[in-house]
Amino acid sequence: MTEKSAWLEINLRTLARNTRLILEALGEDVVLMAVVKSNAYGHGLIRSALTIWSAGAQWLCVNSVAEGVELRHAGMKAPILVMGYVPPAEIPYLISENLDVALFDLNFARLLQAEALRQRKPVYVHIKLDTGMHRLGVLPENFFEFLEGLEAFPALKIRALYSHLAYPEDQQFTLKQINTLKEVLFNCQRRNLFFPMVHLLNSRGTFLYPEARFDAVRMGRSIYGLDKFIDTQPALQFKTRIVQVKTIQKGEKVGYDCTFETKRRTTLAVIAVGYADGYPRALSNKGEVLIAGRRCPIIGRVCMNMSMVDVSDLTILPKPGQEVVLLGTMARSQITASELANWAATSDYEIITRLSSSLPRVYIE
């Protein structure tokens, strides 16, 4: 099978360029921890992570042990931080594959200690401080009690202290988070406690609060070209093909639930993509696609594997098999992840990370 009905194109040169631009902006004193969780934000874990690491990123961050193990088996020697939930059954693989892990719970620390002793090797941890987001992390008022508890687990080696921003665009709240972390660090210094590394900022935070970069920053969206703080570019395009073209009369219904009625004699194209591929159903009667370099609206419900598009205004009638851009650039027109997110009332993170893993990924080098 050579011709694909729907697929992603990932430009690895763009990923590498984005990474180098970020490293240049950070300078030599700040380490880049590249976030490649959730299949590298839909870009494909192995090829994307290898490209980003080869371009100079010093660390890789994943959500799960499985992602870390997959990277190790692909030959990546970079330090890797597992930031998400680790089931007890996966702790042996975490340690054997030399993966760092987020730590915020003493019961989990006890399990790590037992397995580290069994394997006769240390496990490196990044203590997660909850500075106000109230997701994972040790609360500041419990922090020193937590550190005292860790003294019972000498096989655990503290690599870093870190936290995570909730809303970088809210300066007042973000500064409160930054100051909470600084206050904990100050109190640690008073007790002669120091951390090899401190990291807090995500992509937006890195450029909005450069004074809080500390030793390292964790960046994802800027690497994938979702931000425009510097001249990074999107590396991913989502494409499909036309299956059928037909002309229907004014007053006809289109699609499931009859949510669209033609206001004129309409030429529509049925395209080979739907919500099972990660193209949101919320784009029904809202989204647009690019055909022959021009925007054409989605009409009717986005179906599981197909969608309908009004192509009446195109100068030349499109043909079955013709390429359609759902996300990306064609000629001088572009549809961005942020635009899709606005139409679907969601975030650009969700748009790209929900792109189906079954979609073929075509890598451009």
Side-chain angles (χ1 to χ4, degrees):
M1 296 175 63
T2 57
E3 187 167 289
K4 304 167 182 64
S5 59
W7 69 99
L8 303 178
E9 291 180 2
I10 294 94
N11 192 315
L12 298 178
R13 294 193 303 269
T14 299
L15 274 182
R17 177 182 176 274
N18 290 348
T19 303
R20 289 191 291 267
L21 284 173
I22 290 167
L23 287 165
E24 183 180 343
L26 292 177
E28 296 181 356
D29 296 331
V30 180
V31 168
L32 173 59
M33 305 177 76
V35 182
V36 295
K37 65 179 181 177
S38 300
N39 202 24
Y41 287 40
H43 291 64
L45 177 62
I46 298 303
R47 296 293 298 274
S48 299
L50 181 58
T51 298
I52 293 164
W53 179 42
S54 299
Q58 295 95 332
W59 277 75
L60 299 174
C61 299
V62 297
N63 179 66
S64 67
V65 172
E67 290 172 330
V69 170
E70 190 175 351
L71 290 172
R72 286 284 184 254
H73 289 182
M76 269 167 268
K77 306 297 184 183
I80 297 171
L81 170 61
V82 177
M83 302 184 294
Y85 171 62
V86 178
E90 295 183 3
I91 291 175
Y93 305 102
L94 174 86
I95 296 174
S96 65
E97 297 293 348
N98 299 312
L99 304 174
D100 285 27
V101 66
L103 182 64
F104 43 85
D105 180 81
L106 290 178
N107 288 325
F108 181 57
R110 186 175 295 107
L111 296 174
L112 290 174
Q113 167 81 5
E115 182 60 28
L117 292 177
R118 191 188 72 80
Q119 294 193 27
R120 298 182 180 180
K121 61 190 300 187
V123 54
Y124 288 90
V125 300
H126 297 229
I127 298 176
K128 181 73 175 289
L129 179 69
D130 182 354
T131 55
M133 185 172 177
H134 299 322
R135 194 171 60 179
L136 297 178
V138 182
L139 291 169
E141 58 264 32
N142 301 330
F143 184 73
F144 290 101
E145 180 183 354
F146 181 82
L147 285 184
E148 290 174 7
L150 285 183
E151 293 176 4
F153 310 119
L156 276 59
K157 307 301 180 184
I158 298 175
R159 178 96 73 183
L161 174 66
Y162 84 111
S163 190
H164 189 56
L165 297 185
Y167 189 17
E169 291 81 1
D170 185 330
Q171 185 180 53
Q172 183 178 0
F173 189 83
T174 301
L175 290 177
K176 182 180 178 182
Q177 285 194 268
I178 292 170
N179 289 333
T180 297
L181 177 57
K182 287 182 175 179
E183 184 177 353
V184 168
L185 287 171
F186 176 72
N187 288 328
C188 285
Q189 291 169 7
R190 291 177 60 188
R191 291 168 168 81
N192 204 31
L193 298 172
F194 300 92
F195 298 93
M197 185 165 67
V198 177
H199 49 101
L200 168 66
L201 302 180
N202 56 12
S203 289
R204 289 175 176 171
T206 295
F207 293 108
L208 292 173
Y209 306 94
E211 72 281 2
R213 290 175 180 173
F214 295 103
D215 302 296
V217 295
R218 302 183 310 277
M219 302 183 74
R221 58 180 297 119
S222 287
I223 290 174
Y224 304 109
L226 298 178
D227 276 332
K228 285 296 183 182
F229 291 104
I230 55 177
D231 187 31
T232 54
Q233 301 295 324
L236 180 148
Q237 296 205 101
F238 186 10
K239 296 182 177 182
T240 187
R241 297 188 189 279
I242 293 174
V243 180
Q244 184 183 18
V245 178
K246 64 177 69 175
T247 299
I248 59 178
Q249 301 305 311
K250 178 182 177 180
E252 296 285 350
K253 307 290 188 181
V254 177
Y256 284 123
D257 305 328
C258 300
T259 61
F260 184 87
E261 181 177 322
T262 56
K263 302 298 188 291
R264 59 176 177 172
R265 188 169 184 268
T266 299
T267 300
L268 65 82
V270 181
I271 60 176
V273 73
Y275 55 78
D277 303 298
Y279 193 69
R281 189 171 183 268
L283 296 178
S284 302
N285 297 306
K286 294 180 182 177
E288 295 178 352
V289 303
L290 300 178
I291 299 176
R294 292 189 59 184
R295 287 175 174 254
C296 300
I298 296 287
I299 57 175
R301 294 280 193 218
V302 172
C303 309
M304 187 180 295
N305 307 107
M306 289 178 281
S307 302
M308 288 70 74
V309 180
D310 186 346
V311 295
S312 303
D313 294 331
L314 293 182
T315 304
I316 300 175
L317 189 69
K319 298 178 180 179
Q322 190 167 329
E323 187 173 285
V324 179
V325 171
L326 309 160
L327 168 61
T329 303
M330 178 181 278
R332 296 183 179 181
S333 298
Q334 182 182 36
I335 293 175
T336 66
S338 293
E339 199 170 9
L340 288 177
N342 287 336
W343 291 330
T346 185
S347 72
D348 49 7
Y349 289 102
E350 185 173 358
I351 291 295
I352 61 172
T353 58
R354 290 187 67 183
L355 293 172
S356 175
S357 59
S358 66
L359 285 170
R361 280 153 173 84
V362 179
Y363 292 97
I364 300 169
E365 301 188 65

